[in-house]
Amino acid sequence: MAETYAVINQKGGVGKTTTAVNLTACAALSGRKVLLVDADPQGNATSGLGVDRSILEQCLYDLLTDDSVLGPSAEAFNEVVVPTSIQNLSLLPATIDLAGADMALASVMSREAKLRQVLRAGAERYEVVLIDTAPSLGLLTINSLVAAQKVLIPIQCEYYALEGLSQLLEIIHLVQAQINPGLRIAGVILTMYDARTNLAAEVEAEVRANFPGRVFRTVIQRNVRLAEAPSYGMPAVVYDGNCPGSRAYWRLYQEVFGDAETSLGTRSESTHIG
Amino acid sequence: MAETYAVINQKGGVGKTTTAVNLTACAALSGRKVLLVDADPQGNATSGLGVDRSILEQCLYDLLTDDSVLGPSAEAFNEVVVPTSIQNLSLLPATIDLAGADMALASVMSREAKLRQVLRAGAERYEVVLIDTAPSLGLLTINSLVAAQKVLIPIQCEYYALEGLSQLLEIIHLVQAQINPGLRIAGVILTMYDARTNLAAEVEAEVRANFPGRVFRTVIQRNVRLAEAPSYGMPAVVYDGNCPGSRAYWRLYQEVFGDAETSLGTRSESTHIG
């Protein structure tokens, strides 16, 4: 079974999709077979990889709501997965249908484990699976925590960065206790760092103090190339592989998919690429 | 962990509670440490064992809705369990509060596995745990299927005996596939057999033809002592140990808790105690 990561923060605009798209692109460009699961009904990871949502006939929703007793078949899984323009990188896409998933799953058995069942149908072909999640703590996000082995938490270096974090950690704890005891926090990713402000440095210090040893050294700075890449349907690391944002994601990729225990550093070791 | 049986049939009046109360009494009288779990809001097993529901301060509901991350503690479990007048037989009682369980569990995580979590808190002290269930296929009954290792299905020897059975088997299949792969059907118990009618014999033949090798040889006949024992707060096997109903339950007890594989017979071997 592939190593499965969920990129989670119930706050919107913290860089979940940018992180998911660029980390999976780095992994694929490094020769790993990668699946990006778009578990956000907004579908920004889907369009950010250049996949036209309007022509998709099926998406993750259809697999989640497959009512076979044992869940969807490998064939059904492979029918929904689409290739991307990046070699080795496949996508389990989201269309607006996915907005109905929380409702559709509300009354089914093991409703928190449907995504895990979906991934068991076909994800063993991949080395890395990364799930991009919606800005909510609804059933779809719980499913992502149940399906994942590791959690990546992007935190924006802005006011109220830690807002909602204790609630997220409680949910992670609950999922560990009830359904997925193997779930681990891979680490916190500091995003949207603006080196020109004192605020960003203060937030960074606060986050590192709150999560000693659990914040990745690499800090993702605000970068216009990261912001504009999605409108070209490309990850930044493909759109402009040498911009500061892309270089930061390459470093982050090494940290996340290298030996995380040793690479997680403290504030004094943080790495800013400007 | 104790061997855990659920007595299930979503039809009412098929003898679930009579079976649960008498089988647990036989096991306790035989020297086994037994826990009867009353998972039916009607609480007939509770009152049938002589426990006054009106003075109970807590019941199964309180354990099911315990909101500790790891579920109720062993102390909390032991506070709710009450002794009965029969040595070795303890009761996890139901009050009318239990009627709110389906609603209370609807929105919680792993809502189908709450009873399993409750039993893990304290049931390891017992050798046999038997769950009496409500006449419904609601969340409480699903919880019983998730918590149990084996299912006992009482079927009344009347018209429409098999009605609803295919739905019950589907649910059992679903629970096996999704949550509790170890769940097994211990066997079907023919109840309320009236030897004076052709109908009873026809129903028995039909049930045995439909479930070859899975129907217990012992048939529980209609017996007034079985019907009146609950109003004295006693299992029939205690109230009148020598009536035909009690003798039938003793034989059934041997079949269920002996080697079920060899004791499950076909129609030609059936045992009627008259």
Side-chain angles (χ1 to χ4, degrees):
Chain A
M1 184 72 179
E3 278 224 289
T4 305
Y5 292 78
V7 183
I8 296 210
N9 189 331
Q10 76 271 40
K11 276 179 113 171
V14 301
K16 284 190 288 296
T17 300
T18 303
T19 297
V21 165
N22 283 288
L23 282 184
T24 49
C26 289
L29 293 169
S30 302
R32 301 197 195 209
K33 274 190 73 71
V34 185
L35 178 69
L36 176 53
V37 178
D38 192 349
D40 179 357
Q42 295 172 91
N44 292 334
T46 299
S47 52
L49 284 174
V51 173
D52 181 357
R53 302 171 73 199
S54 66
I55 61 163
L56 292 172
E57 283 178 13
Q58 294 187 88
C59 83
L60 177 58
Y61 175 84
D62 301 272
L63 295 174
L64 287 171
T65 57
D66 184 301
D67 62 358
S68 322
V69 168
L70 295 169
S73 64
E75 291 68 40
F77 183 91
N78 293 331
E79 267 175 34
V80 181
V81 169
V82 294
T84 69
S85 59
I86 299 164
Q87 205 183 355
N88 297 320
L89 178 54
S90 299
L91 173 73
L92 186 42
T95 71
I96 193 64
D97 285 352
L98 195 60
D102 274 30
M103 282 286 284
L105 296 179
S107 63
V108 308
M109 200 179 284
S110 292
R111 58 184 174 175
E112 301 97 344
K114 287 290 145 192
L115 180 56
R116 179 163 72 183
Q117 197 177 45
V118 166
L119 294 183
R120 282 180 179 162
E124 84 287 345
R125 289 201 297 132
Y126 302 91
E127 291 166 71
V128 174
V129 174
L130 206 144
I131 307 164
D132 186 29
T133 67
S136 96
L137 291 176
L139 211 35
L140 212 43
T141 302
I142 305 291
N143 265 275
S144 301
L145 288 170
V146 171
Q149 289 142 19
K150 296 183 182 175
V151 181
L152 295 166
I153 306 174
I155 292 183
Q156 195 183 11
C157 296
E158 297 284 353
Y159 279 117
Y160 307 119
L162 295 173
E163 193 187 51
L165 252 284
S166 64
Q167 201 191 358
L168 174 58
L169 295 176
E170 255 172 51
I171 294 270
I172 291 172
H173 189 195
L174 204 58
V175 169
Q176 282 173 326
Q178 308 269 358
I179 315 180
N180 186 9
L183 185 66
R184 294 290 170 265
I185 296 176
V188 170
I189 302 167
L190 292 165
T191 63
M192 306 197 180
Y193 189 94
D194 186 342
R196 294 164 306 180
T197 67
N198 288 333
L199 174 65
E202 284 162 19
V203 170
E204 180 181 356
E206 190 187 356
V207 172
R208 291 193 188 276
N210 269 278
F211 300 95
R214 311 194 82 173
V215 183
F216 290 105
R217 272 204 304 269
T218 304
V219 172
I220 310 295
Q221 306 219 359
R222 274 198 190 281
N223 179 238
V224 67
R225 301 304 245 178
L226 289 181
E228 67 193 22
S231 59
Y232 295 91
M234 280 186 266
V237 295
V238 172
Y239 173 64
D240 180 354
N242 201 36
C243 71
S246 295
R247 285 188 288 135
Y249 271 113
W250 272 108
R251 284 193 65 100
L252 179 65
Y253 166 71
Q254 298 295 342
E255 275 198 79
V256 173
F257 293 89
D259 182 350
E261 287 305 315
T262 59
S263 67
L264 283 172
T266 59
R267 186 189 180 336
S268 60
E269 307 167 79
S270 72
T271 307
H272 293 254
I273 298 175
Chain B
M1 183 75 177
E3 277 224 292
T4 305
Y5 291 77
V7 182
I8 297 211
N9 189 334
Q10 75 272 39
K11 275 178 116 170
V14 301
K16 284 188 290 294
T17 300
T18 303
T19 298
V21 165
N22 283 289
L23 282 184
T24 49
C26 290
L29 293 169
S30 302
R32 303 198 194 207
K33 277 191 69 73
V34 185
L35 178 70
L36 176 53
V37 178
D38 192 351
D40 179 358
Q42 295 172 91
N44 292 334
T46 299
S47 53
L49 283 174
V51 173
D52 182 357
R53 303 171 72 199
S54 67
I55 61 163
L56 292 172
E57 283 179 13
Q58 292 187 89
C59 84
L60 177 59
Y61 176 84
D62 301 271
L63 296 174
L64 287 171
T65 57
D66 184 300
D67 61 358
S68 322
V69 169
L70 294 171
S73 64
E75 292 70 37
F77 182 91
N78 292 332
E79 268 175 35
V80 181
V81 169
V82 293
T84 69
S85 58
I86 300 165
Q87 204 183 355
N88 297 320
L89 179 54
S90 300
L91 173 73
L92 186 43
T95 71
I96 194 62
D97 285 353
L98 196 60
D102 274 30
M103 281 287 284
L105 296 179
S107 63
V108 309
M109 202 179 288
S110 292
R111 56 184 176 175
E112 301 97 345
K114 287 290 143 192
L115 180 56
R116 179 163 72 184
Q117 196 177 46
V118 166
L119 293 182
R120 282 181 179 160
E124 85 287 345
R125 289 202 296 131
Y126 302 92
E127 290 165 72
V128 174
V129 174
L130 206 143
I131 307 165
D132 185 29
T133 66
S136 97
L137 290 176
L139 212 35
L140 212 43
T141 303
I142 305 290
N143 265 272
S144 302
L145 289 171
V146 171
Q149 286 141 20
K150 296 182 181 175
V151 181
L152 295 167
I153 306 174
I155 293 183
Q156 196 183 10
C157 296
E158 297 285 354
Y159 280 117
Y160 308 119
L162 296 173
E163 194 188 51
L165 252 284
S166 64
Q167 200 191 359
L168 174 58
L169 295 176
E170 253 172 51
I171 295 270
I172 291 172
H173 189 193
L174 205 58
V175 169
Q176 283 172 326
Q178 307 270 356
I179 312 180
N180 186 8
L183 185 66
R184 294 288 170 268
I185 296 177
V188 170
I189 302 167
L190 292 166
T191 63
M192 307 200 176
Y193 189 94
D194 186 343
R196 297 164 304 180
T197 67
N198 289 331
L199 175 65
E202 284 163 20
V203 170
E204 181 182 356
E206 189 187 357
V207 172
R208 292 195 189 273
N210 270 276
F211 299 96
R214 312 195 81 171
V215 183
F216 290 106
R217 272 203 304 268
T218 304
V219 172
I220 311 295
Q221 305 218 0
R222 273 198 191 282
N223 180 236
V224 67
R225 302 304 245 177
L226 289 181
E228 67 193 25
S231 59
Y232 295 90
M234 280 186 265
V237 295
V238 173
Y239 173 63
D240 180 354
N242 201 35
C243 71
S246 294
R247 287 188 286 132
Y249 272 113
W250 273 109
R251 284 195 63 99
L252 180 65
Y253 166 70
Q254 299 295 344
E255 276 198 78
V256 173
F257 293 89
D259 183 348
E261 287 303 315
T262 59
S263 66
L264 284 173
T266 60
R267 185 187 180 342
S268 59
E269 308 165 83
S270 71
T271 307
H272 293 255
I273 299 175

